[in-house]
Each structure stands twice: as structure tokens, then as C-alpha cells.
Amino acid sequence: QVQLVESGGGLVQPGGSLRLTCVASGDIFSIKAMGWYRQPPGNQRELVAGITSGGGTNYADSVKGRFTISRDKAKNTAYLQMNSLKLEDTAVYSCGADRSDYTSPYGMDYRGKGTLVTVAS
């Protein structure tokens, strides 16, 4: 089993930045791909960004050029740097980890509880 704990959410003004952190524990050697998902109020969860074990990344069109996913394998940690935040980025952001090297838009083997990001003026 793998446990994922997110942090770094909060209230930010439009145009601002936040960095989310996801720390993995447990059977960390089984983890290959990691990703970030978000669920806006009243909407379905969507894949925001993913990163493979080799460092390959993919992003939702809505965040390309603004968000950057990265990981530090030595620290069992993944990050999501979010810049130029918009009102529509408001959501609960959750971290995912998978035993395959694929970031599925439908979910991953393990998922954290999430952290709330609110973009408001």
C-alpha cells in the first residue's frame, strides 16, 4: 500500500502562484507514474498533470504553460507549481500514484485526500 499526503493549498488571488506538495510513504518502490488531479465544485475530477518514472510529463490543455509538475524520487515527493492562477482553477487538488508508468485520466492506483485551492479576489 502507498499513502499520499498533499499540502500547499490555500487562498490566492487571480494571477498568483502556489506550489502543491505530495509526499508518498509505504510501498514507495512500487510507484512509477505520479499525477495531480482536481475536482472543481460541482464538477467531475480531471487529470491536471502527470509525470512518468523517466520524467516525461503531460498536462491538461487548460493548464499548459502555467502549471509544472515535477518529482524528487529521493524524497518520494511530487510537486505541482501553479502560476498565473485563474478563478476557474479553484478545486480540490489530489495527488495520485500508479504502479504502471501511465497517468490515466480516470485515476491511479493510489490517491490522496486532497488539498483545497481557492482562487478569489
Side-chain angles (χ1 to χ4, degrees), residues 95-112:
C95 173
D98 206 273
R99 290 168 292 179
S100 76
D101 218 1
Y102 172 62
T103 51
S104 168
Y106 303 108
M108 306 181 93
D109 290 334
Y110 307 103
R111 182 159 61 98

Side-chain angles (χ1 to χ4, degrees), residues 3-77:
Q3 294 78 44
L4 303 171
V5 178
E6 304 94 337
S7 62
L11 174 64
V12 63
Q13 292 185 339
S17 298
L18 280 177
R19 187 174 83 154
L20 305 183
T21 299
C22 170
V23 179
S25 61
D27 188 15
I28 58 172
F29 296 106
S30 68
I31 297 173
K32 291 187 177 179
M34 296 188 75
W36 287 94
Y37 296 79
R38 70 183 180 186
Q39 185 165 16
N43 286 296
Q44 293 185 337
R45 184 163 52 99
E46 62 176 349
L47 176 65
V48 175
I51 185 166
T52 66
S53 60
T57 59
N58 60 286
Y59 297 92
D61 288 342
S62 58
V63 306
K64 282 181 181 176
R66 300 188 298 123
F67 291 12
T68 303
I69 187 171
S70 61
R71 68 193 292 179
D72 184 335
K73 290 183 178 180
K75 295 182 178 180
N76 308 316
T77 301

Side-chain angles (χ1 to χ4, degrees), residues 10-18 83-87 118-121:
L11 174 64
V12 63
Q13 292 185 339
S17 298
L18 280 177
N83 299 328
S84 303
L85 283 161
K86 303 176 180 180
L87 297 175
T118 302
V119 184
S121 54

